[in-house]
Amino acid sequence: MSLFWKVILIALMGIVILKFSGRKSISQMTIPEVVVMLSIGTVLVQPIGQKSVGKTGMVVALFVAVLFLLEYLQLKINWLEKLVTGKSKIVIQNGVLNVPELKKLRLTVDQLEMRLRMAGITKIEDVKTATIESNGDLGYELMEDAKPLTIGDFKRLMGGYLETQSVEQQDNIFAELDNQQKDHPKYLQ
């Protein structure tokens, strides 16, 4: 088998192995998981280890080329992106945990709650939808009542409040200053 096909075969084997290992990034892995991943990488490189610096450089370049090719193909072929990268998994829907999906992701409720707390969310019931993205990050949308007030919302609320206030205050105490009235009220004369 030629060196080119060895590299492609080993890269694809590595992707398959890492795909089944889970959706955690290095920062989210435990120490044993990091050790296992590094060991897998070392084992994958063993068959193509060469004594020549030139061949080693060529192998590294082929790995990078295969990575770029896969990324390009994922942009063009939708099912390949789903197969290689995966898609988001819903773990909370309308404030209710999706326990079967958590089990598939091998994610405990405590780990999910930790991610929610890191996002500033204190109650699961406040979450309309939460997903574990293909890169392992948490994506979420809050319930309507749990969403923070934005400046745009505040301006709309204050605009409506100020309009009702101007209508209610027809009897303006500053009217004589605004109209430059010279007559004093009768009760002061």
Side-chain angles (χ1 to χ4, degrees), residues 13 22 33 42 68 73 89 94 100 102 105 112 122 131 138 151 158 166 183:
M13 284 180 4
E33 289 172 331
T42 304
F68 286 146
L73 290 174
K89 304 292 183 184
N94 295 322
L102 284 173
L105 294 169
L112 178 62
T122 56
T131 58
L138 175 73
I151 292 175
M158 289 308 294
S166 65
D183 299 336

Side-chain angles (χ1 to χ4, degrees), residues 80-122:
L80 185 63
E81 178 187 15
K82 186 177 174 182
L83 179 71
V84 173
T85 306
K87 64 177 192 171
S88 301
K89 304 292 183 184
I90 297 175
V91 292
I92 299 175
Q93 186 73 42
N94 295 322
V96 178
L97 286 173
N98 185 348
V99 177
E101 201 62 50
L102 284 173
K103 286 181 181 179
K104 286 180 192 173
L105 294 169
R106 295 187 310 275
L107 189 67
T108 66
V109 175
D110 289 338
Q111 291 170 332
L112 178 62
E113 286 174 343
M114 176 188 65
R115 291 181 187 198
L116 291 170
R117 283 190 302 271
M118 290 175 68
I121 300 168
T122 56

Side-chain angles (χ1 to χ4, degrees), residues 167-183:
V167 170
E168 290 173 3
Q169 293 181 349
Q170 295 292 335
D171 195 17
N172 188 351
I173 61 171
F174 296 103
E176 66 185 60
L177 293 175
D178 291 340
N179 296 332
Q180 306 267 332
Q181 290 179 342
K182 304 257 184 210
D183 299 336

